[in-house]
């Protein structure tokens, strides 16, 4: 009885934390540069599995590589919800006929207007080449500056913030709700950047 009194609360705490870890939250690591500058390669996040998904949320989704038949987690931003019609016209986003601002793109769009991101991509000649030959910061899969997508019911259109290098719904298609693992809510690494995500 004494043992139960002493260790009971601690054991209960551990059980609750394990249940939350399995059903509510999950740590993830950002891989690659598709979410630069919002999220950098190797940063660590916490996602909430039970969050309701809204436009412009940052989410983790399961992506199937059709060549290897392997699934990996990717971090992207929700641009289109089920049933949305989204259009881009020279970097201006319209959703269901209304212009939607994308403030998270401001730094890279400014750099693109200045020098086609050549200074930003100074350590990656492949990225520099992509940017140098682009006519806008957001292009369709085949390089068009103006394009429209109708998001199917039950599906989500996801894009990376680093639009010129991101492999996202423009290339791999939309994601069903079952493939959305959760919303990224918190950055926990590096320590100097700990905080809630916008």
């Amino acid at each position: 009885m004494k043992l139960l009194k002493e260790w009971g609360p601690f054991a209960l705490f551990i059980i609750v934390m394990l249940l939350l870890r399995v059903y509510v939250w999950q740590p993830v690591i950002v891989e690659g540069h598709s979410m630069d500058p919002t999220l950098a390669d190797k940063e660590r996040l916490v996602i909430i599995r039970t969050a309701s998904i809204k436009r412009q949320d940052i989410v983790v989704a399961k992506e199937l590589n059709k060549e290897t038949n392997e699934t990996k987690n990717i971090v992207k931003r929700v641009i289109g919800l089920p049933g949305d019609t989204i259009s881009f016209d020279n970097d201006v986003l319209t959703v269901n006929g209304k212009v939607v601002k994308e403030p998270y793109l401001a730094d890279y769009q400014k750099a693109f207007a200045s020098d086609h991101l050549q200074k930003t991509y100074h350590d990656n000649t492949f990225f520099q080449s992509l940017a140098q030959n682009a006519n806008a910061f957001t292009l369709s899969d085949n390089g068009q500056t103006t394009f429209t997508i109708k998001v199917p019911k039950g599906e989500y259109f996801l894009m990376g913030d680093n639009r010129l290098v991101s492999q996202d719904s423009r290339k791999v298609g939309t994601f069903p709700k079952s493939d959305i693992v959760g919303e990224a809510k918190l950055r926990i690494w590096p320590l100097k950047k700990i905080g809630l995500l916008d």
Side-chain angles (χ1 to χ4, degrees):
M1 196 67 173
K2 184 180 178 184
L3 187 66
L4 186 62
K5 271 188 177 180
E6 289 179 359
W7 290 97
F10 178 72
L12 182 61
F13 173 77
I14 296 297
I15 290 168
V16 169
M17 290 305 292
L18 286 172
L19 289 172
L20 288 174
R21 167 66 181 84
V22 171
Y23 295 106
V24 178
W25 64 273
Q26 174 184 331
V28 296
I29 299 175
V30 179
E31 293 184 10
H33 297 280
S34 71
M35 284 298 291
D36 288 347
T38 308
L39 299 170
D41 185 38
K42 305 305 180 202
E43 288 188 347
R44 286 167 168 76
L45 315 173
V46 170
I47 65 168
I48 303 299
R49 293 173 175 270
T50 56
S52 59
I53 305 302
K54 303 177 296 298
R55 282 189 205 94
Q56 299 191 339
D57 283 348
I58 297 172
V59 299
V60 172
K62 293 182 288 187
E63 181 186 64
L64 176 66
N65 184 324
K66 293 177 182 176
E67 293 178 4
T68 64
N69 209 32
E70 294 177 351
T71 301
K72 67 175 182 176
N73 285 341
I74 59 169
V75 181
K76 303 292 180 186
R77 193 180 293 273
V78 178
I79 302 301
L81 296 176
D84 280 349
T85 298
I86 63 173
S87 299
F88 284 93
D89 185 1
N90 291 297
D91 291 331
V92 176
L93 168 62
T94 303
V95 179
N96 300 326
K98 294 182 180 178
V99 172
V100 175
K101 293 184 179 179
E102 297 188 278
Y104 41 84
L105 301 183
D107 289 345
Y108 271 30
Q109 285 179 331
K110 184 178 178 182
F112 180 80
S114 171
D115 72 347
H116 276 244
L117 289 158
Q118 296 307 290
K119 288 180 184 174
T120 304
Y121 294 154
H122 65 89
D123 58 350
N124 192 313
T125 55
F126 176 67
F127 288 1
Q128 282 184 321
S129 176
L130 287 175
Q132 188 66 50
N133 295 313
N135 293 320
F137 184 60
T138 301
L139 301 170
S140 69
D141 184 39
N142 60 2
Q144 300 299 308
T145 60
T146 301
F147 59 100
T148 298
I149 293 124
K150 174 70 175 177
V151 184
K153 289 182 179 179
E155 305 267 327
Y156 293 79
F157 193 88
L158 310 181
M159 297 177 76
D161 289 356
N162 193 0
R163 295 283 167 78
L164 290 173
V165 304
S166 176
Q167 298 291 307
D168 49 41
S169 286
R170 290 171 292 175
K171 184 171 183 66
V172 302
T174 53
F175 291 78
K177 180 71 167 70
S178 58
D179 284 349
I180 307 292
V181 181
E183 181 188 356
K185 289 283 195 180
L186 178 69
R187 178 170 23 216
I188 57 174
W189 185 265
L191 293 176
K192 64 181 179 180
K193 294 173 76 174
I194 285 179
L196 295 174
L197 297 173
D198 293 331

